[in-house]
Amino acid sequence: MNLKTLGGCKPKLPEVRFHESYMPEPNTGCWLWMGTVRGSNNYGCIKVNNKPMAAHRYSWILHCGQIPNGLCVCHQCDNSSCVNPKHLFLATVSENNKDKVKKNRQSKGEKHGLAKLTDELVLQIRKDTRNANQLSAIFNLTAEAIRNVKRYKTWRHIP
């Protein structure tokens, strides 16, 4: 006999799966998500009503209630794998971005996944006396991107 002939088995409720999928970290108080992870940013993922949901968002809903439209669930501990509701807070996208910049957590320069330049190339562009149109062909960038580098509108962290 198999489970199908016995009537199958009941799947666990999301709340039960949630509490089985994290491990408390005693030094920081974080609840480290040990379940499924989505993408390369270490945010946990749990299926609720057959739809994937970020584990920290589910933690907020489970422990604090619904998330108002337009708000994000953010981490005070800056640990993307943490699902401890005491470490979470609500903020707008703008507030979350300001918090990220204030804490210097944003990817800058060549560490940014979409960067087309390196710190070394930025220095070369700034030293080069040719105009933006000439440099754009050399570096395979738009003239506007070259001007932004030269005017320190972008890559400001490079002196």
Side-chain angles (χ1 to χ4, degrees):
M1 282 211 233
N2 60 32
L3 284 175
K4 197 169 190 178
T5 59
L6 294 172
C9 61
K10 279 190 169 180
K12 293 180 182 178
L13 294 171
E15 181 176 352
V16 172
R17 286 186 287 110
F18 173 83
H19 288 294
E20 292 176 347
S21 297
Y22 66 82
M23 181 186 308
E25 202 290 309
N27 296 317
T28 62
C30 288
W31 296 357
L32 303 176
W33 186 253
M34 306 304 285
T36 302
V37 175
R38 179 174 52 185
S40 61
N41 53 16
N42 287 333
Y43 284 103
C45 185
I46 186 169
K47 272 197 175 179
V48 180
N49 298 327
N50 242 4
K51 293 181 182 176
M53 173 183 276
H56 67 290
R57 290 178 63 83
Y58 183 68
S59 180
W60 182 273
I61 292 168
L62 193 60
H63 298 97
C64 305
Q66 289 300 310
I67 303 165
N69 286 340
L71 294 184
C72 303
V73 178
C74 308
H75 293 86
Q76 290 175 353
C77 58
D78 296 332
N79 183 346
S80 59
S81 67
C82 180
V83 294
N84 183 343
K86 291 179 181 174
H87 290 194
L88 304 174
F89 66 98
L90 295 178
T92 64
V93 172
S94 175
E95 291 166 338
N96 189 29
N97 286 333
K98 287 176 187 170
D99 180 62
K100 176 175 67 174
V101 169
K102 183 175 103 181
K103 295 176 179 176
N104 200 26
R105 287 184 288 114
Q106 77 280 17
S107 296
K108 290 186 221 169
E110 59 190 42
K111 292 179 184 171
H112 190 283
L114 299 175
K116 293 182 178 181
L117 294 172
T118 63
D119 296 354
E120 187 178 317
L121 289 175
V122 167
L123 291 172
Q124 286 178 21
I125 289 170
R126 289 195 177 137
K127 289 177 185 173
D128 202 307
T129 57
R130 288 176 280 188
N131 69 41
N133 290 328
Q134 293 168 320
L135 292 175
S136 69
I138 295 167
F139 290 97
N140 198 24
L141 295 169
T142 65
E144 185 63 23
I146 297 291
R147 283 190 285 277
N148 286 340
V149 167
K150 284 188 167 274
R151 294 176 183 153
Y152 291 83
K153 284 188 173 184
T154 56
W155 296 80
R156 287 179 278 204
H157 65 287
I158 303 297

